[in-house]
Structure formats: structure tokens, C-alpha cells
Amino acid sequence: MSRTLVIKLTAGAEEPERANQAFTVAATAVAAGATVSLWLTGEAVWFAVPGRAESFDLPHAAPLADLLTAVLEGGQLTVCTQCAKRRDLTQPDLRPGTRLAGAPTFTEEILTEATQAIVY
């Protein structure tokens, strides 16, 4: 049976360790063969804007841009629709492969059988 991991990140660059942990777990799960869905909410939505992950730096941590690339290549990256609107972000502002979705989609994902949800 295939397992799915849904990760919701609610912190941005203002909480670097929490932000990096979510990306690290997501990229590690992708590498392990899990189905991964990483949701960016609140200030975390800025990481989906080109250049933002590249400017993030946390000592002794994998580069966020590399972790984000791994998620985009092997999983699903989603930006909260309402969070994006509050920051005047639209689909063209986001990295290719990023989707915009809201609570109904998130709820559907986390209620699917064999799914584990984690919030950072």
C-alpha cells in the first residue's frame, strides 16, 4: 500500500527552523518514495515565488531552494488561495508546477485513506 504525506507549513522566513523542517521532511519523503503534498499557508506562500527560497539561509541546513526543487519534481506544491490573495499573488507570480487551492482540496487530501498529515 502506498502512503501519502500531506504537510502544511504555516511559517515563513520569520521562523526559519520550522520552515526548513517542513521542506526537509517533504523532500525526504519524496526521496523515500512517498506521495507528498506540501501546502504553503500564511507567510510560507512567499517560498513559492521565484527567488524567495534562494534567498533563504539557515546554518547547518540543506538549501531551501534544493528542497523545494525536490518537492516540485516528485510531489505536489500548493499555495493557499486565500493566503495568496491576501498578498496580491496570482498564479503567474508562482513557480511553475505550483497550484493554488483552498480548504476543500486540503480537506479532501487529508481525509484520504493511508494519508498522514503534519502541520509545521
Side-chain angles (χ1 to χ4, degrees):
M1 178 188 306
S2 177
R3 297 267 309 174
T4 298
L5 180 61
V6 178
I7 300 169
K8 183 181 229 183
L9 175 58
T10 63
E14 77 285 357
E15 294 190 52
E17 290 183 332
R18 188 158 53 131
N20 189 266
Q21 286 175 352
F23 278 96
T24 299
V25 169
T28 301
V30 166
T35 300
V36 175
S37 178
L38 176 59
W39 283 73
L40 304 180
T41 66
E43 288 297 299
V45 302
W46 292 110
F47 293 129
V49 173
R52 294 294 182 108
E54 290 78 5
S55 66
F56 180 90
D57 183 44
L58 181 63
H60 310 292
L64 196 68
D66 294 349
L67 299 171
L68 179 56
T69 297
V71 172
L72 283 167
E73 289 177 354
Q76 176 66 62
L77 182 69
T78 304
V79 166
C80 165
T81 306
Q82 291 180 9
C83 300
K85 285 182 181 180
R86 282 191 282 275
R87 289 156 182 85
D88 293 321
L89 295 173
T90 62
Q91 189 69 55
D93 298 314
L94 306 177
R95 291 174 180 272
T98 303
R99 73 176 171 171
L100 285 167
T105 304
F106 180 76
T107 302
E108 182 180 336
E109 282 189 17
I110 65 172
L111 293 178
T112 303
E113 189 174 331
T115 297
Q116 174 70 47
I118 302 172
V119 177
Y120 283 93

